[in-house]
Amino acid sequence: MAIDRVVSKGVKGGYVTGNFSAGGYIALNSSNAVVAANSAGETVQEMLISVISWSTVNGAYYTVKRGANTVLNLSNTGTFDFQASGMAVETGGESSANVVVTKTGTGPCSLVIKLHKRPAITGGSAY
């Protein structure tokens, strides 16, 4: 059975984690808790990929898109910690698009993605 869903949303302005064995997506703002990055009362303006870990076999691979743009093609096994390295894969507004994960090929594969949420701040500051 596929585990393709948001597994943790944390607090407003925190992180959202998704776990995929096939394909799926994480929506910035949705009333569907299975795919929503936002928690109750939160409006997420953008999300940046912080950490991503994956494992694929039998020539399978994952494609990660932000909007219409492919930001990652992932095969074999690995981990990228973009936050620790001070890097971002999203450019030119991609961080304000939903994350779409597509698996191509067969076999048991997994992908875990952690995104840093940046919510809209209303009625005060973020501090």
Side-chain angles (χ1 to χ4, degrees), residues 37-118:
N38 59 306
S39 33
E42 178 182 34
T43 301
V44 179
Q45 288 187 323
E46 63 179 350
M47 302 181 293
L48 293 170
I49 299 172
S50 297
V51 181
I52 189 164
S53 295
W54 70 95
S55 176
T56 63
V57 296
N58 300 334
Y61 63 93
Y62 284 106
T63 302
V64 180
K65 288 189 166 193
R66 300 300 303 269
N69 299 328
T70 299
V71 294
L72 294 167
N73 285 307
L74 306 167
S75 61
N76 299 314
T77 300
T79 298
F80 289 137
D81 189 338
F82 296 110
Q83 186 171 354
S85 63
M87 299 171 62
V89 295
E90 298 92 344
T91 60
E94 292 170 342
S95 61
S96 62
N98 294 337
V99 175
V100 178
V101 175
T102 305
K103 177 186 163 195
T104 303
T106 60
C109 301
S110 66
L111 181 143
V112 177
I113 186 169
K114 178 180 177 185
L115 299 116
H116 184 216
K117 303 186 293 182
R118 294 196 179 152

Side-chain angles (χ1 to χ4, degrees), residues 2-8 17-24 26 53 62 101 109-114:
I3 303 170
D4 302 311
R5 61 189 178 94
V6 170
V7 293
S8 173
T17 304
N19 185 356
F20 301 93
S21 59
I26 300 174
S53 295
Y62 284 106
V101 175
C109 301
S110 66
L111 181 143
V112 177
I113 186 169
K114 178 180 177 185

